Amino acid sequence: MSTTSPAAGLPVSDHSPRLREALLAAAFTADGLLDLLGAPAYAALARSETVPALRATDGDGVLDTLVRLFLLQRPVPQEQVRAALPLEECLADGWVVRDGDDVQATVDVRPYGGPEGQDWFIVSDLGCAVGGSGGAGGQGEGVVLGVGGASTTLAGITVRMPVSSALDLGTGSGIQALHAAQHATRVTATDLNPRALHFTRLTLALSGAPEADLREGSLFDPLGDDTYDLIVSNPPFVISPGARLTYRDGGMGGDDLCRSLVQQAGARLNDGGYAQFLANWQHVEGEEWQDRLRTWVPRGCDAWIVQREVQDVTQYAELWLRDGGDHRSDPTEYAARYDAWLDEFEARKTKAVGFGWITLRKSGSERPSIVAEEWPHPVEQPLGESVRAHFARQDYLRTHDDAALLADHFRLAPEVVQEQVGLPGAEDPEHVVLRQNRGMRRATKVDTVGAGFAGVCDGSLSAGRILDAIAQLIDEDPVLLRDRTPQAIRLLVGEGFLTPVDLVDPVDLLEPSEPGREG
């Protein structure tokens, strides 16, 4: 196993089982915090607002002590800490330090609830539990952030199936490695920042998870010829003029880091494996963003690219200037940095920046499925099963011509509803919308034939038989209806409104006793 030595001045995890035991005994967990603080103060803490939590922890209980020590990072009297923790061991390991008669934390330790109710703890730099909260960059370029919205988004979209090997590339504080350890036999975590690798080791140890193989280096450089069944990465994807802040700036021009990451991932995936990334990409004058990103997809891989948000270049620059604390600097310096961002975008003919998810699956197909779409609307997390099902449907559509499609049987997906839109009192609606209430929560317009077809899909009749019945009802030639409808059926299947009855779900092939299977 390749590991890094403890970074100077950071805790070691020799007594982490004792510390974990003390934290759990005090109900220093996600549920315990919610009970103590109440929903408003708990939500404010997630926004890095500490005043409500300070007001809620003015007692002398052990949970009050731990919240003030590790989350609010306030000095706490030694005797109160001794009542809550094995103080001498925590001092020896470096989790806390003495400050006169008080004790102060050296790191942020934040409870985090796992997907099956596990009590985990994420360790990060002081004051950096949530990214994008205004000035983490002011603490130094090697700062290690805790869990933010991007981290939880990636964890939610990741396909969770038992695998032999998983890679968390650019691990940060280790949240993706912690999730992967629940369903992967072997987890490798890499980062260019040695402090990040050390924080990952602390996160895993304090959460009671198996150790990971920790490797220092950029992108795939430290991995030799190793390949994986699952690759996840929340990389430093910010498109910026330079690489001032390691935790966010990629250090390559434009969106080259994200492009390189995606293009190189194909050679690192085992057959059937998934690679899932968060990314930013440029909207370049004269090019469609979908066409640019399709060129990123490596040979032999299917891809699903979802753009969740777009910002113009001024919004984007302002967002990340605030993230780095530059809005608090001298106005002249702030203006110069803002100008540098706009110079960078102008030189690259960038008119906007997109943010979203990229998922690859190593299929080896000669006719890869590459779907690039925009979906800025709310979705239901976790989405890992929806991601896996998307690729299963693409396999189905790739191997079924129109004749096979019409011979097959379909079921309407659960919780799909129909909406009719039109003028009040009108005899017929102007259009009909099918809407999903689960997963991606898609909506699509259909004609009366499509609505009628979807409504009777219960798996008992073939698609062709249903169309023949509809043709008789609307007095249309059944041959013509069969000819013009398969494309609409493909759309409904591709977007998950209809499910082929005989579509084999890879999860259903697993024995229930296999480790890591999620209900």
Side-chain angles (χ1 to χ4, degrees):
M1 176 181 293
S2 173
T3 61
T4 58
S5 58
L10 293 178
V12 296
S13 54
D14 293 348
H15 299 97
S16 59
R18 288 285 309 279
L19 176 55
R20 173 177 171 79
E21 183 180 325
L23 297 178
L24 294 177
F28 187 67
T29 63
D31 289 340
L33 289 184
L34 182 58
D35 290 342
L36 174 69
L37 302 178
Y42 186 81
L45 194 61
R47 301 190 299 270
S48 295
E49 295 290 348
T50 59
V51 172
L54 279 169
R55 292 169 62 91
T57 56
D58 58 359
D60 57 3
V62 293
L63 185 53
D64 299 88
T65 296
L66 292 174
V67 172
R68 290 199 302 273
L69 181 68
F70 284 123
L71 296 187
L72 306 180
Q73 287 128 35
R74 302 303 170 99
V76 180
Q78 286 191 49
E79 292 312 307
Q80 289 187 24
V81 178
R82 194 182 304 278
L85 297 172
L87 178 56
E88 300 306 321
E89 293 177 1
C90 289
L91 286 166
D93 285 0
W95 292 94
V96 297
V97 293
R98 282 193 174 95
D99 181 14
D101 293 332
D102 293 333
V103 171
Q104 289 192 301
T106 62
V107 291
D108 184 295
V109 177
R110 191 155 300 243
Y112 179 87
E116 296 179 349
Q118 302 99 323
D119 290 315
W120 292 341
F121 301 95
I122 310 302
V123 187
S124 64
D125 270 313
L126 293 172
C128 296
V130 180
S133 56
Q139 304 188 40
E141 67 172 20
V143 67
V144 177
L145 299 182
V147 176
S151 304
T152 55
T153 293
L154 179 59
I157 67 172
T158 300
V159 174
R160 303 292 177 193
M161 293 191 295
V163 294
S164 296
S165 56
L167 169 65
D168 176 12
L169 194 150
T171 185
S173 58
I175 179 60
Q176 310 304 331
L178 181 56
H179 275 281
Q182 310 309 304
H183 61 101
T185 303
R186 174 175 58 89
V187 176
T188 301
T190 71
D191 207 290
L192 186 63
N193 181 3
R195 284 174 59 83
L197 296 176
H198 185 66
F199 275 114
T200 293
R201 187 168 72 89
L202 296 176
T203 290
L204 294 173
L206 198 57
S207 299
E211 292 184 6
D213 180 1
L214 306 177
R215 304 190 189 186
E216 181 180 343
S218 176
L219 299 180
F220 297 100
D221 290 349
L223 299 172
D225 295 326
D226 292 349
T227 58
Y228 301 89
D229 301 314
L230 173 68
I231 299 171
V232 293
S233 183
N234 177 17
F237 51 64
V238 176
I239 301 170
S240 60
R244 187 162 58 97
L245 302 175
T246 305
Y247 73 87
R248 70 170 203 193
D249 299 329
M252 298 184 185
D255 52 21
D256 284 355
L257 182 136
C258 291
R259 177 185 55 79
S260 297
L261 182 60
V262 173
Q263 288 180 335
Q264 294 175 29
R268 297 291 181 163
L269 280 177
N270 295 326
D271 289 344
Y274 289 88
Q276 300 186 261
F277 315 101
L278 301 187
N280 279 185
W281 46 79
Q282 299 168 131
H283 286 218
V284 178
E285 291 180 13
E287 295 184 54
E288 295 294 332
W289 70 267
Q290 297 96 329
D291 294 338
R292 285 194 74 243
L293 267 65
R294 287 189 183 101
T295 68
W296 293 10
V297 178
R299 186 169 183 171
C301 288
D302 298 330
W304 187 19
I305 302 164
V306 182
Q307 180 166 272
R308 296 287 289 153
E309 185 178 358
V310 181
Q311 290 185 322
D312 67 44
V313 293
T314 59
Q315 292 174 314
Y316 189 81
E318 291 162 13
L319 169 68
W320 295 109
L321 285 166
R322 287 193 302 272
D323 173 83
D326 296 301
H327 61 307
R328 301 193 187 106
S329 65
D330 176 80
T332 303
E333 183 179 350
Y334 174 81
R337 285 184 171 162
Y338 197 152
D339 215 30
W341 283 75
L342 297 184
D343 284 344
E344 174 80 3
F345 288 132
E346 185 176 347
R348 296 182 177 278
K349 298 183 178 179
T350 301
K351 58 184 180 179
V353 177
F355 170 83
W357 321 323
I358 299 176
T359 298
L360 306 177
R361 187 193 55 164
K362 187 71 168 287
S363 66
S365 174
E366 295 287 332
R367 296 186 295 122
S369 165
I370 302 176
V371 176
E373 61 176 326
E374 186 164 13
W375 189 252
H377 309 293
V379 299
E380 181 191 47
Q381 287 275 32
L383 273 171
E385 178 57 20
S386 296
V387 172
R388 186 215 54 77
H390 166 87
F391 288 98
R393 293 194 301 269
Q394 299 308 309
D395 284 343
Y396 171 87
L397 293 173
R398 184 162 44 203
T399 56
H400 286 68
D401 61 17
D402 287 355
L405 204 68
L406 293 174
D408 218 338
H409 297 233
F410 300 90
R411 290 194 182 97
L412 188 66
E415 299 195 36
V416 172
V417 298
Q418 176 178 304
E419 300 173 358
Q420 297 187 166
V421 180
L423 295 174
E427 183 175 346
D428 295 313
E430 292 180 13
H431 60 262
V432 178
V433 174
L434 299 182
R435 187 178 302 277
Q436 301 168 351
N437 287 314
R438 304 296 303 274
M440 290 291 287
R441 292 177 173 164
R442 294 184 183 278
T444 188
K445 287 203 308 189
V446 293
D447 60 15
T448 53
V449 171
F453 180 87
V456 296
C457 278
D458 61 2
S460 60
L461 295 175
S462 70
R465 291 279 302 278
I466 293 173
L467 290 177
D468 290 345
I470 292 174
Q472 187 173 3
L473 285 173
I474 63 175
D475 195 25
E476 183 170 338
D477 185 335
V479 175
L480 294 178
L481 191 60
R482 280 175 172 253
D483 284 345
R484 69 178 176 86
T485 305
Q487 189 58 40
I489 297 176
R490 287 185 181 279
L491 175 65
L492 293 175
V493 172
E495 294 191 345
F497 290 93
L498 296 177
T499 302
V501 170
D502 295 330
L503 182 62
V504 177
D505 187 334
V507 174
D508 292 337
L509 300 179
L510 300 173
E511 292 295 330
S513 60
E514 288 192 50
R517 179 173 181 177
E518 297 187 9

